[in-house]
Amino acid sequence: MNKLLCVGVLCALLAACASPFEKQVKADFEEKKALFPQEGDFFGVLDSEGLTSDERDALMFLYAYMPVGDVTDYSGEFYLENVRSSFATREETAWGQSIPDEVFRHFVLPVRVNNEALDRSRMVFHDELMPRLEGLSMYDAVLEVNHWCHEKANYQPSDARTSSPLATVKTAYGRCGEESTFLVAALRSVGIPARQVYTPRWAHTDDNHAWVEAWADGKWYFLGACEPEPVLNLGWFNEPASRGMLMHTKVFGRYEGPEEVMRTTANYTEINVIGNYAENAPVSVRVTDIDGKPVEDACVRFGIYNYAEFYPVSSQHTDKDGLASLSAGLGDMVVLAVKDRAFGMRKVSFGKDKEVVLKLEHQIGDTLSFSLDIVPPAGNPALPEVTPEQRAENDIRFNREDSIRNAYIATFPDADAIRAFASETGYDAEAITPYIVASRGNASEIEAFLKEAAGREMRARALALLGTLAEKDLRDAEARVLDDHLYHTDSLADVATVLAPRIGNEMLTPYRSFFQKAISGEDAARFREKPLSWVEWCKDSLTLRDDLCTVGTVISPEGVWKSRMADRTSRNTFFVAVARSIGIPAWIDRVTGYVLYKENGKDVAVDFESGSSEQVAEGTLKLDYTPIPRLDDPAYARHFSLSRFDGEGFALQTYPDFEPWSKLFKEPAVLPAGYYMLVSGTRLAKGGVLAQVSFYNVEQGKETDTKLAVRESDEAVSVIGSFNSEANYIDAEGNETSVLLTTGRGYFVLGIVGVGDEPTNHALKDIAAKAKELEAWGRKIVLLFPSRAAYGKYMSAPIAGLPATVSFGIDSDGSIEAAIRKEMKLSSGTRLPIFIIADTFNRVVFESHGYTIGMGDQLLNTVHGL
C-alpha cells in the first residue's frame, strides 16, 4: 500500500471515529466557509504550518459559530493566539484537567462573551492574574478574580454599546453588561469556565441587570461582577433575582447541556437559567385562528412590562399544532401572536396558567383598547451564610481596592494639565475640557487627535467632530480612527450627516480612507449624482444573512465590503458609512430606524427590499391626556410608549427616555404612517402594573387624535417619580458618599431639612414619636442639611429621640434638593422639609413638603403599604 493511500485510509478512519458533535461542527464550518468569497482568505489560519489537531479543531469550532463580523474584522492569528493561551492555561492550572471538555469548549475557549469589541484581554489578564491565584482552590480563585476586577472598575451607567474588557479597565468603570463581560473574560483567562447571565428585564421595576456564573468543581455559582462578596451565590440582587421572570445566557455554538434551551441560532444556544434563582413554571400557548384551528408558524413574543413597553424576552414560531412554550418565574407576561395580518394578545400567568389559547382575533388596522393588571413574582431570596469575620475581611479588602482604583483614576488629566495642553496647542481650555475629562484613561488618544488637528489648523473642525461622538466613544476611540474621519472629509461637509463617524452602535473604524480607495472615482461620482444607484448596488451586491449575525454585533463597514454579506443592522450602517465617505449626507433615524439620505434638499428614505427610495409617508399623532393626581405630564418610557407594526410584531419607537408627553404629543407630532400600539402603565409600589393598551392607525397626510389613558389606583402605593439613589452628598464626618452606599439596597427615607423652623421641628418630632416602629422597619432615614453651617446649628440643639436608623449629611451643592424639586414639580418657594420614600431602583413612592402634621404616621402608612 503506497503512502498516499495510507494517509487516505487514516483520514477515513479518523472521520469515522469522530463524534456526532464533531461531525456537526465540521458540517457547520464548511457551510459557513462556502458563503464567503474565496479571494478573501478569511480562513487561511486553518492551513498554518505547525497547527496541532486540537488547535485546528478549536479554530474550526470558533469559526463555525462566530458571527460574520468576527470572521471579517479579526485575523486568524488573533484567534490562534487565544486558542493557544486557553490550552496552555488548562495545562498550567490545578483545575484545568478537572474541567469536562464540553464545559471547556463552551465556557473557556470562546473569545466572545456578548456583543463587545474583541481584544487581547485573555493574554493580558492571564499574565497579571496567575500569580495571585497560586495555591488557591478553584472556588477561592473565582472570588479572587472578582476582587481583582473590583480594583480595576466599578459601576457607572452608560449607553448600550459594550466596550471591550481592556477598554473597561482603561476607563475604570462600566455598566453591568460591561462589568460582567470583563469578569467573564478575566475568569476565562485563567481557565475558569464562566458565562454572562442576563435578566433581559425585571418584572417588578423598570430596569435590567447582568451578572456572572462561574463553574467551580462541578457546580455553577453566581456573583456580581466587580462587586466582590465573601462567598459565592451572594450579591445585592439576590432578592430582585428571586422575583425575576427570566434569566438567560448565550452559550457559544451548539450546546447540549442540561438547561432548558430557549432557542438555537447560527452563533449560540440561548439557555434559560431561571431555575438557579427563582421558582418557575412552564406555560404553553396554543395559537388558533378565529375558528379555533391551530396556526402554524405564527410569531409569538413573550413580553415583560418594563419601561412602559412589553419588552420581548422570548420570540418563537409555533409548531404544526400551533404551540409555543416558555418557563418563567411565577408572575405575569403579555403574549403577542402574529400571522400574516392577523394578531392576538393576552396576559399569561406562570404558575397559574398551564396551557392557554390565543386567538388571532384582530386584524392589523383594527382600532381597539383594553386594560391589563400585571402582577410580578413575589420575592423569596436564598442567602448563603457569611460570618462576621468574613464580612469584616471583605470590607477591608473592598476599601483597599477602591483606593487602588482611585489612585489610577487620579492619573487622569486634571484641570491644570488640561489648561497646559490647551496653552501648548492653541485650544480654548473650556472648549476641550469636557472631551478630555470624559475620555478618562483614553485621554492620550483624544489629546493626540486634538494636537494633530491643531498642527493642521483644523481645531474648530476637530472639536465639531468630537461633538458628534457619544461619551463612550471618547473613552475608547483611537486617534488614528478620528484622524481618518477628519482628514478624509470635505471641510465644508455637514457635520451631523457627513463628518460624524458614529452611525449607530457600531465600533468606530477608519472606513473613509478605505472606501475612498476601494470605490473608483467614476463610481463615487455616479453614486453622488444619483444616490438611488447606491441603494441599488447594496440591494444587488450584498447577501442579507440576519441568521448568521444573531449576537447583536455590527459588522464593520469594511467587513461588509470584503465579505459582501451583512445582517440588516450592518447593511444599514454600511450604506451610511459609504455614503458619508463619498460625500452623500446620510443617517439612520434614531426614533424610527429608517435609513435616510439627503437629495436636492429633501430627506429620502431607503427601501432595500425593492431597491427604491422615496420620501417617508407621514401622518400626525396627537395624544389627549387628562391629568390625574400626582401625574400632570407623563414621561415616555416611564408612563407610556409607542410601537409600530413591522410585519411580525411591534417595534418600539425610540424617543428620548423620560421625554414628557407635553413635548412629544400634546400637539400633533409627525411620524411615519402605519399601525401603532400605545402602552401606558402605573407602576405600583409592590411592582405590579395597571396597564392600558391601545391600537390605532396613523394615515398618510392625516391627523390621528387618540387618548393617552394612565390608570390610577386608590388602594395601593404607586410609583410617583424617580430619584437617583447614587446621588452624592457629604456625610457628617466630611466624606463624600452616596445615598446608595448609606442605605444599601432597598427602600429608604430621604429628607431635606431646615434648622430651627417650625415645619422641620414638627416633622422631626413626629418622626421621633414613631422611632420604635421606624427602627423595626429597619431601613435608613437620611436627613440632609443644605450646608455644614446648618448642620452645625442643628447639632447644637438636636431633636431628641430620633430613630437609630437616621444618618445625617450635607447636600452641599444643593443638587439632591434640586433634583427632588424638579421631579416632584415643587417650586423654588416650597418650604422645607421635603421628604421622600424611594428605593434603590430609583422609584419614589411618597413625597411630602412643608408644614405637615403626623409625618411619622405618614411614613409608616406608606411603609406598611409596600
Side-chain angles (χ1 to χ4, degrees), residues 723-731 735-752 779-784 805 807-811 813 815-817 819-820 836-844:
F723 171 76
N724 178 16
S725 63
E726 297 182 58
N728 290 333
Y729 71 93
I730 305 300
D731 67 19
N735 301 309
E736 185 173 351
T737 187
S738 70
V739 175
L740 173 60
L741 289 175
T742 302
T743 64
R745 297 284 174 175
Y747 282 97
F748 58 87
V749 176
L750 176 66
I752 308 292
R779 302 300 304 154
K780 281 285 189 180
I781 301 172
V782 181
L783 301 179
L784 300 181
T805 49
S807 293
F808 293 104
I810 297 95
D811 182 24
D813 63 359
S815 60
I816 292 180
E817 179 180 346
I820 294 173
I836 63 171
I837 297 178
D839 69 5
T840 46
F841 286 111
N842 299 338
R843 306 176 300 173
V844 177

Tab-separated table of all heavy atoms in Angstrom, residues 723-731 735-752 779-784 805 807-811 813 815-817 819-820 836-844:
chain	number	residue	atom	x	y	z
A	723	PHE	N	-35.839	59.015	41.596
A	723	PHE	CA	-34.745	59.678	42.289
A	723	PHE	C	-33.495	58.842	42.144
A	723	PHE	O	-33.522	57.627	42.362
A	723	PHE	CB	-35.070	59.870	43.785
A	723	PHE	CG	-33.896	60.357	44.592
A	723	PHE	CD1	-33.496	61.682	44.508
A	723	PHE	CD2	-33.163	59.493	45.385
A	723	PHE	CE1	-32.399	62.136	45.233
A	723	PHE	CE2	-32.062	59.945	46.112
A	723	PHE	CZ	-31.683	61.258	46.022
A	724	ASN	N	-32.395	59.468	41.786
A	724	ASN	CA	-31.140	58.760	41.569
A	724	ASN	C	-30.517	58.387	42.910
A	724	ASN	O	-29.939	59.230	43.596
A	724	ASN	CB	-30.171	59.634	40.770
A	724	ASN	CG	-28.829	58.960	40.559
A	724	ASN	OD1	-28.698	57.745	40.741
A	724	ASN	ND2	-27.839	59.737	40.187
A	725	SER	N	-30.607	57.118	43.275
A	725	SER	CA	-30.096	56.677	44.576
A	725	SER	C	-28.580	56.720	44.660
A	725	SER	O	-28.018	56.562	45.742
A	725	SER	CB	-30.583	55.255	44.878
A	725	SER	OG	-30.079	54.345	43.918
A	726	GLU	N	-27.905	56.923	43.510
A	726	GLU	CA	-26.451	57.036	43.532
A	726	GLU	C	-25.984	58.487	43.684
A	726	GLU	O	-24.799	58.780	43.553
A	726	GLU	CB	-25.870	56.424	42.267
A	726	GLU	CG	-26.157	54.927	42.153
A	726	GLU	CD	-25.549	54.303	40.918
A	726	GLU	OE1	-24.319	54.399	40.760
A	726	GLU	OE2	-26.296	53.733	40.113
A	727	ALA	N	-26.931	59.389	43.967
A	727	ALA	CA	-26.578	60.798	44.150
A	727	ALA	C	-25.627	60.957	45.343
A	727	ALA	O	-25.783	60.311	46.380
A	727	ALA	CB	-27.841	61.622	44.365
A	728	ASN	N	-24.643	61.821	45.199
A	728	ASN	CA	-23.619	62.018	46.226
A	728	ASN	C	-23.981	63.145	47.179
A	728	ASN	O	-24.653	64.113	46.812
A	728	ASN	CB	-22.270	62.329	45.571
A	728	ASN	CG	-21.692	61.118	44.863
A	728	ASN	OD1	-21.971	59.988	45.221
A	728	ASN	ND2	-20.879	61.362	43.853
A	729	TYR	N	-23.505	63.009	48.412
A	729	TYR	CA	-23.603	64.081	49.407
A	729	TYR	C	-22.407	63.942	50.347
A	729	TYR	O	-21.608	63.000	50.230
A	729	TYR	CB	-24.937	64.007	50.164
A	729	TYR	CG	-25.057	62.831	51.118
A	729	TYR	CD1	-24.708	62.950	52.471
A	729	TYR	CD2	-25.529	61.591	50.666
A	729	TYR	CE1	-24.833	61.877	53.340
A	729	TYR	CE2	-25.641	60.508	51.531
A	729	TYR	CZ	-25.296	60.658	52.873
A	729	TYR	OH	-25.406	59.601	53.739
A	730	ILE	N	-22.256	64.882	51.261
A	730	ILE	CA	-21.159	64.856	52.239
A	730	ILE	C	-21.701	64.349	53.570
A	730	ILE	O	-22.687	64.891	54.082
A	730	ILE	CB	-20.544	66.262	52.421
A	730	ILE	CG1	-20.103	66.834	51.070
A	730	ILE	CG2	-19.375	66.209	53.399
A	730	ILE	CD1	-19.075	66.009	50.352
A	731	ASP	N	-21.082	63.287	54.116
A	731	ASP	CA	-21.601	62.765	55.377
A	731	ASP	C	-21.145	63.632	56.552
A	731	ASP	O	-20.392	64.603	56.389
A	731	ASP	CB	-21.209	61.297	55.563
A	731	ASP	CG	-19.716	61.078	55.744
A	731	ASP	OD1	-18.988	62.039	56.088
A	731	ASP	OD2	-19.253	59.922	55.533
A	735	ASN	N	-16.916	63.275	54.586
A	735	ASN	CA	-16.525	62.428	53.462
A	735	ASN	C	-17.625	62.389	52.412
A	735	ASN	O	-18.821	62.385	52.742
A	735	ASN	CB	-16.256	61.002	53.943
A	735	ASN	CG	-15.169	60.948	54.996
A	735	ASN	OD1	-14.092	61.496	54.803
A	735	ASN	ND2	-15.466	60.312	56.116
A	736	GLU	N	-17.222	62.344	51.149
A	736	GLU	CA	-18.217	62.211	50.086
A	736	GLU	C	-18.709	60.773	50.026
A	736	GLU	O	-17.926	59.828	50.047
A	736	GLU	CB	-17.636	62.612	48.735
A	736	GLU	CG	-18.673	62.597	47.617
A	736	GLU	CD	-18.147	63.157	46.307
A	736	GLU	OE1	-17.042	63.708	46.295
A	736	GLU	OE2	-18.863	63.042	45.297
A	737	THR	N	-20.002	60.604	49.962
A	737	THR	CA	-20.603	59.280	49.865
A	737	THR	C	-21.852	59.399	49.002
A	737	THR	O	-22.101	60.446	48.408
A	737	THR	CB	-20.927	58.712	51.262
A	737	THR	OG1	-21.361	57.358	51.121
A	737	THR	CG2	-21.980	59.542	51.986
A	738	SER	N	-22.624	58.354	48.936
A	738	SER	CA	-23.852	58.391	48.153
A	738	SER	C	-24.996	57.850	48.981
A	738	SER	O	-24.798	57.144	49.987
A	738	SER	CB	-23.714	57.567	46.870
A	738	SER	OG	-23.669	56.193	47.171
A	739	VAL	N	-26.207	58.153	48.540
A	739	VAL	CA	-27.382	57.626	49.230
A	739	VAL	C	-27.344	56.102	49.209
A	739	VAL	O	-27.590	55.450	50.226
A	739	VAL	CB	-28.665	58.162	48.566
A	739	VAL	CG1	-29.902	57.525	49.199
A	739	VAL	CG2	-28.737	59.682	48.675
A	740	LEU	N	-27.002	55.527	48.062
A	740	LEU	CA	-26.969	54.069	47.933
A	740	LEU	C	-25.982	53.440	48.911
A	740	LEU	O	-26.289	52.437	49.570
A	740	LEU	CB	-26.601	53.694	46.501
A	740	LEU	CG	-26.363	52.213	46.208
A	740	LEU	CD1	-27.603	51.399	46.502
A	740	LEU	CD2	-25.929	52.012	44.769
A	741	LEU	N	-24.784	54.027	49.018
A	741	LEU	CA	-23.799	53.463	49.944
A	741	LEU	C	-24.258	53.562	51.392
A	741	LEU	O	-23.925	52.714	52.221
A	741	LEU	CB	-22.461	54.175	49.769
A	741	LEU	CG	-21.696	53.870	48.476
A	741	LEU	CD1	-20.452	54.744	48.379
A	741	LEU	CD2	-21.308	52.400	48.408
A	742	THR	N	-25.036	54.571	51.704
A	742	THR	CA	-25.526	54.742	53.073
A	742	THR	C	-26.648	53.774	53.380
A	742	THR	O	-26.692	53.175	54.461
A	742	THR	CB	-26.027	56.185	53.277
A	742	THR	OG1	-24.971	57.089	52.989
A	742	THR	CG2	-26.504	56.398	54.705
A	743	THR	N	-27.569	53.609	52.448
A	743	THR	CA	-28.783	52.859	52.738
A	743	THR	C	-28.689	51.382	52.410
A	743	THR	O	-29.420	50.569	52.976
A	743	THR	CB	-29.972	53.441	51.935
A	743	THR	OG1	-29.725	53.259	50.537
A	743	THR	CG2	-30.146	54.926	52.245
A	744	GLY	N	-27.777	51.010	51.505
A	744	GLY	CA	-27.816	49.659	50.975
A	744	GLY	C	-29.026	49.497	50.084
A	744	GLY	O	-29.865	50.399	49.944
A	745	ARG	N	-29.154	48.335	49.461
A	745	ARG	CA	-30.236	48.115	48.511
A	745	ARG	C	-31.576	48.021	49.226
A	745	ARG	O	-31.702	47.378	50.254
A	745	ARG	CB	-29.986	46.827	47.727
A	745	ARG	CG	-28.731	46.875	46.870
A	745	ARG	CD	-28.957	47.696	45.621
A	745	ARG	NE	-27.728	47.865	44.856
A	745	ARG	CZ	-27.670	48.457	43.674
A	745	ARG	NH1	-28.758	48.954	43.133
A	745	ARG	NH2	-26.531	48.571	43.037
A	746	GLY	N	-32.573	48.655	48.658
A	746	GLY	CA	-33.921	48.596	49.202
A	746	GLY	C	-34.514	49.981	49.375
A	746	GLY	O	-34.001	50.981	48.853
A	747	TYR	N	-35.608	50.064	50.129
A	747	TYR	CA	-36.282	51.334	50.370
A	747	TYR	C	-35.543	52.169	51.405
A	747	TYR	O	-34.794	51.640	52.254
A	747	TYR	CB	-37.720	51.090	50.834
A	747	TYR	CG	-38.655	50.730	49.713
A	747	TYR	CD1	-38.960	49.393	49.440
A	747	TYR	CD2	-39.241	51.710	48.911
A	747	TYR	CE1	-39.809	49.052	48.404
A	747	TYR	CE2	-40.100	51.379	47.878
A	747	TYR	CZ	-40.373	50.057	47.626
A	747	TYR	OH	-41.210	49.731	46.606
A	748	PHE	N	-35.768	53.458	51.371
A	748	PHE	CA	-35.196	54.387	52.345
A	748	PHE	C	-36.049	55.644	52.395
A	748	PHE	O	-36.857	55.909	51.503
A	748	PHE	CB	-33.750	54.750	51.980
A	748	PHE	CG	-33.601	55.369	50.614
A	748	PHE	CD1	-33.735	56.745	50.424
A	748	PHE	CD2	-33.345	54.577	49.511
A	748	PHE	CE1	-33.615	57.308	49.169
A	748	PHE	CE2	-33.222	55.130	48.247
A	748	PHE	CZ	-33.360	56.497	48.066
A	749	VAL	N	-35.858	56.411	53.489
A	749	VAL	CA	-36.465	57.734	53.617
A	749	VAL	C	-35.357	58.765	53.444
A	749	VAL	O	-34.273	58.618	54.015
A	749	VAL	CB	-37.142	57.917	54.986
A	749	VAL	CG1	-37.685	59.340	55.130
A	749	VAL	CG2	-38.252	56.901	55.181
A	750	LEU	N	-35.624	59.785	52.654
A	750	LEU	CA	-34.667	60.876	52.469
A	750	LEU	C	-35.377	62.184	52.783
A	750	LEU	O	-36.461	62.446	52.242
A	750	LEU	CB	-34.141	60.891	51.033
A	750	LEU	CG	-33.198	62.043	50.668
A	750	LEU	CD1	-31.893	61.945	51.436
A	750	LEU	CD2	-32.916	62.051	49.169
A	751	GLY	N	-34.772	62.968	53.637
A	751	GLY	CA	-35.348	64.255	53.981
A	751	GLY	C	-34.369	65.386	53.761
A	751	GLY	O	-33.189	65.272	54.108
A	752	ILE	N	-34.840	66.480	53.155
A	752	ILE	CA	-34.078	67.727	53.083
A	752	ILE	C	-34.670	68.628	54.160
A	752	ILE	O	-35.847	69.003	54.086
A	752	ILE	CB	-34.203	68.407	51.707
A	752	ILE	CG1	-33.880	67.413	50.581
A	752	ILE	CG2	-33.316	69.635	51.635
A	752	ILE	CD1	-32.451	66.966	50.527
A	779	ARG	N	-35.020	50.181	57.767
A	779	ARG	CA	-34.383	50.864	56.649
A	779	ARG	C	-33.853	52.232	57.084
A	779	ARG	O	-34.315	52.822	58.051
A	779	ARG	CB	-35.358	51.037	55.487
A	779	ARG	CG	-35.956	49.737	54.964
A	779	ARG	CD	-34.890	48.803	54.459
A	779	ARG	NE	-34.081	49.439	53.438
A	779	ARG	CZ	-32.834	49.109	53.151
A	779	ARG	NH1	-32.226	48.147	53.814
A	779	ARG	NH2	-32.185	49.747	52.201
A	780	LYS	N	-32.881	52.755	56.349
A	780	LYS	CA	-32.223	54.001	56.694
A	780	LYS	C	-33.119	55.222	56.438
A	780	LYS	O	-33.915	55.253	55.499
A	780	LYS	CB	-30.936	54.160	55.885
A	780	LYS	CG	-29.762	53.358	56.408
A	780	LYS	CD	-29.182	53.990	57.664
A	780	LYS	CE	-27.886	53.316	58.072
A	780	LYS	NZ	-27.323	53.946	59.293
A	781	ILE	N	-32.933	56.219	57.295
A	781	ILE	CA	-33.522	57.541	57.114
A	781	ILE	C	-32.361	58.521	56.991
A	781	ILE	O	-31.575	58.692	57.925
A	781	ILE	CB	-34.423	57.934	58.295
A	781	ILE	CG1	-35.562	56.921	58.459
A	781	ILE	CG2	-34.973	59.345	58.104
A	781	ILE	CD1	-36.392	57.129	59.719
A	782	VAL	N	-32.212	59.123	55.819
A	782	VAL	CA	-31.103	60.043	55.569
A	782	VAL	C	-31.642	61.466	55.640
A	782	VAL	O	-32.545	61.832	54.871
A	782	VAL	CB	-30.468	59.784	54.190
A	782	VAL	CG1	-29.296	60.735	53.954
A	782	VAL	CG2	-30.004	58.334	54.076
A	783	LEU	N	-31.110	62.250	56.551
A	783	LEU	CA	-31.517	63.643	56.718
A	783	LEU	C	-30.385	64.543	56.267
A	783	LEU	O	-29.278	64.481	56.821
A	783	LEU	CB	-31.869	63.929	58.179
A	783	LEU	CG	-33.003	63.081	58.777
A	783	LEU	CD1	-33.235	63.452	60.237
A	783	LEU	CD2	-34.282	63.239	57.965
A	784	LEU	N	-30.647	65.349	55.245
A	784	LEU	CA	-29.621	66.200	54.658
A	784	LEU	C	-29.913	67.668	54.941
A	784	LEU	O	-31.048	68.127	54.782
A	784	LEU	CB	-29.553	65.982	53.143
A	784	LEU	CG	-29.226	64.572	52.664
A	784	LEU	CD1	-29.178	64.531	51.141
A	784	LEU	CD2	-27.915	64.079	53.248
A	805	THR	N	-31.855	54.589	63.108
A	805	THR	CA	-31.565	54.380	61.685
A	805	THR	C	-31.318	55.683	60.931
A	805	THR	O	-31.119	55.668	59.718
A	805	THR	CB	-32.732	53.631	61.017
A	805	THR	OG1	-33.962	54.283	61.369
A	805	THR	CG2	-32.782	52.183	61.474
A	807	SER	N	-29.282	58.826	59.532
A	807	SER	CA	-27.936	59.292	59.201
A	807	SER	C	-28.038	60.737	58.747
A	807	SER	O	-28.966	61.100	58.018
A	807	SER	CB	-27.320	58.448	58.079
A	807	SER	OG	-27.068	57.133	58.505
A	808	PHE	N	-27.065	61.557	59.160
A	808	PHE	CA	-27.063	62.964	58.789
A	808	PHE	C	-26.035	63.220	57.682
A	808	PHE	O	-25.041	62.500	57.558
A	808	PHE	CB	-26.728	63.843	59.998
A	808	PHE	CG	-27.778	63.832	61.067
A	808	PHE	CD1	-27.587	63.123	62.234
A	808	PHE	CD2	-28.961	64.533	60.900
A	808	PHE	CE1	-28.548	63.114	63.228
A	808	PHE	CE2	-29.931	64.534	61.876
A	808	PHE	CZ	-29.732	63.807	63.038
A	809	GLY	N	-26.287	64.275	56.930
A	809	GLY	CA	-25.342	64.666	55.897
A	809	GLY	C	-25.632	66.062	55.397
A	809	GLY	O	-26.561	66.736	55.868
A	810	ILE	N	-24.818	66.493	54.416
A	810	ILE	CA	-24.933	67.842	53.880
A	810	ILE	C	-25.074	67.753	52.367
A	810	ILE	O	-24.235	67.153	51.680
A	810	ILE	CB	-23.706	68.708	54.247
A	810	ILE	CG1	-23.611	68.876	55.759
A	810	ILE	CG2	-23.779	70.065	53.573
A	810	ILE	CD1	-22.707	67.888	56.440
A	811	ASP	N	-26.131	68.347	51.849
A	811	ASP	CA	-26.333	68.478	50.409
A	811	ASP	C	-25.662	69.779	49.986
A	811	ASP	O	-26.305	70.765	49.660
A	811	ASP	CB	-27.835	68.490	50.114
A	811	ASP	CG	-28.158	68.585	48.635
A	811	ASP	OD1	-27.312	68.199	47.809
A	811	ASP	OD2	-29.259	69.066	48.302
A	813	ASP	N	-23.986	71.116	47.530
A	813	ASP	CA	-24.192	71.861	46.290
A	813	ASP	C	-25.666	71.983	45.906
A	813	ASP	O	-26.002	72.536	44.848
A	813	ASP	CB	-23.414	71.224	45.138
A	813	ASP	CG	-23.878	69.810	44.836
A	813	ASP	OD1	-24.787	69.321	45.541
A	813	ASP	OD2	-23.330	69.196	43.904
A	815	SER	N	-27.677	69.812	44.895
A	815	SER	CA	-28.102	69.035	43.726
A	815	SER	C	-29.206	68.046	44.057
A	815	SER	O	-30.105	67.805	43.243
A	815	SER	CB	-26.897	68.304	43.118
A	815	SER	OG	-26.310	67.428	44.060
A	816	ILE	N	-29.160	67.445	45.254
A	816	ILE	CA	-30.199	66.482	45.619
A	816	ILE	C	-31.530	67.194	45.804
A	816	ILE	O	-32.567	66.751	45.289
A	816	ILE	CB	-29.786	65.701	46.882
A	816	ILE	CG1	-28.592	64.790	46.569
A	816	ILE	CG2	-30.957	64.898	47.429
A	816	ILE	CD1	-28.100	63.977	47.750
A	817	GLU	N	-31.506	68.302	46.526
A	817	GLU	CA	-32.744	69.058	46.699
A	817	GLU	C	-33.300	69.515	45.355
A	817	GLU	O	-34.504	69.397	45.096
A	817	GLU	CB	-32.515	70.274	47.598
A	817	GLU	CG	-33.764	71.115	47.801
A	817	GLU	CD	-33.529	72.318	48.702
A	817	GLU	OE1	-32.477	72.359	49.375
A	817	GLU	OE2	-34.391	73.219	48.720
A	819	ALA	N	-32.877	68.152	42.426
A	819	ALA	CA	-33.393	67.017	41.670
A	819	ALA	C	-34.772	66.608	42.173
A	819	ALA	O	-35.673	66.300	41.377
A	819	ALA	CB	-32.424	65.841	41.761
A	820	ILE	N	-34.950	66.609	43.493
A	820	ILE	CA	-36.255	66.238	44.052
A	820	ILE	C	-37.305	67.285	43.694
A	820	ILE	O	-38.438	66.965	43.312
A	820	ILE	CB	-36.153	66.065	45.580
A	820	ILE	CG1	-35.253	64.868	45.917
A	820	ILE	CG2	-37.533	65.868	46.192
A	820	ILE	CD1	-34.964	64.719	47.390
A	836	ILE	N	-39.064	62.198	50.974
A	836	ILE	CA	-39.490	61.180	50.016
A	836	ILE	C	-39.207	59.799	50.597
A	836	ILE	O	-38.320	59.628	51.450
A	836	ILE	CB	-38.790	61.301	48.643
A	836	ILE	CG1	-37.268	61.083	48.786
A	836	ILE	CG2	-39.101	62.633	47.990
A	836	ILE	CD1	-36.541	60.978	47.441
A	837	ILE	N	-39.977	58.833	50.156
A	837	ILE	CA	-39.629	57.422	50.339
A	837	ILE	C	-39.334	56.889	48.944
A	837	ILE	O	-40.138	57.058	48.017
A	837	ILE	CB	-40.763	56.617	50.992
A	837	ILE	CG1	-41.056	57.142	52.406
A	837	ILE	CG2	-40.384	55.132	51.063
A	837	ILE	CD1	-42.203	56.421	53.094
A	838	ALA	N	-38.168	56.297	48.789
A	838	ALA	CA	-37.744	55.785	47.490
A	838	ALA	C	-36.999	54.484	47.698
A	838	ALA	O	-36.782	54.047	48.837
A	838	ALA	CB	-36.872	56.819	46.771
A	839	ASP	N	-36.610	53.860	46.609
A	839	ASP	CA	-35.787	52.667	46.714
A	839	ASP	C	-34.609	52.774	45.763
A	839	ASP	O	-34.506	53.723	44.985
A	839	ASP	CB	-36.597	51.381	46.475
A	839	ASP	CG	-37.061	51.212	45.039
A	839	ASP	OD1	-36.693	52.034	44.167
A	839	ASP	OD2	-37.798	50.253	44.792
A	840	THR	N	-33.731	51.811	45.848
A	840	THR	CA	-32.508	51.883	45.056
A	840	THR	C	-32.698	51.402	43.630
A	840	THR	O	-31.729	51.274	42.882
A	840	THR	CB	-31.372	51.101	45.743
A	840	THR	OG1	-31.859	49.826	46.168
A	840	THR	CG2	-30.880	51.853	46.959
A	841	PHE	N	-33.943	51.144	43.225
A	841	PHE	CA	-34.278	51.041	41.814
A	841	PHE	C	-34.749	52.395	41.307
A	841	PHE	O	-35.309	52.506	40.218
A	841	PHE	CB	-35.356	49.984	41.570
A	841	PHE	CG	-34.857	48.572	41.689
A	841	PHE	CD1	-35.244	47.760	42.727
A	841	PHE	CD2	-33.967	48.079	40.749
A	841	PHE	CE1	-34.779	46.471	42.828
A	841	PHE	CE2	-33.489	46.781	40.842
A	841	PHE	CZ	-33.899	45.980	41.894
A	842	ASN	N	-34.552	53.432	42.165
A	842	ASN	CA	-34.809	54.834	41.799
A	842	ASN	C	-36.283	55.176	41.685
A	842	ASN	O	-36.652	56.115	40.996
A	842	ASN	CB	-34.074	55.203	40.496
A	842	ASN	CG	-32.579	55.052	40.637
A	842	ASN	OD1	-32.049	55.067	41.742
A	842	ASN	ND2	-31.889	54.889	39.526
A	843	ARG	N	-37.147	54.445	42.383
A	843	ARG	CA	-38.581	54.704	42.353
A	843	ARG	C	-38.981	55.495	43.602
A	843	ARG	O	-38.668	55.102	44.722
A	843	ARG	CB	-39.378	53.403	42.295
A	843	ARG	CG	-38.972	52.475	41.157
A	843	ARG	CD	-39.725	51.157	41.204
A	843	ARG	NE	-39.467	50.445	42.457
A	843	ARG	CZ	-40.106	49.320	42.809
A	843	ARG	NH1	-41.032	48.817	42.023
A	843	ARG	NH2	-39.812	48.723	43.948
A	844	VAL	N	-39.699	56.580	43.417
A	844	VAL	CA	-40.245	57.372	44.516
A	844	VAL	C	-41.701	56.964	44.709
A	844	VAL	O	-42.488	56.959	43.756
A	844	VAL	CB	-40.149	58.877	44.227
A	844	VAL	CG1	-40.784	59.684	45.361
A	844	VAL	CG2	-38.694	59.295	44.037
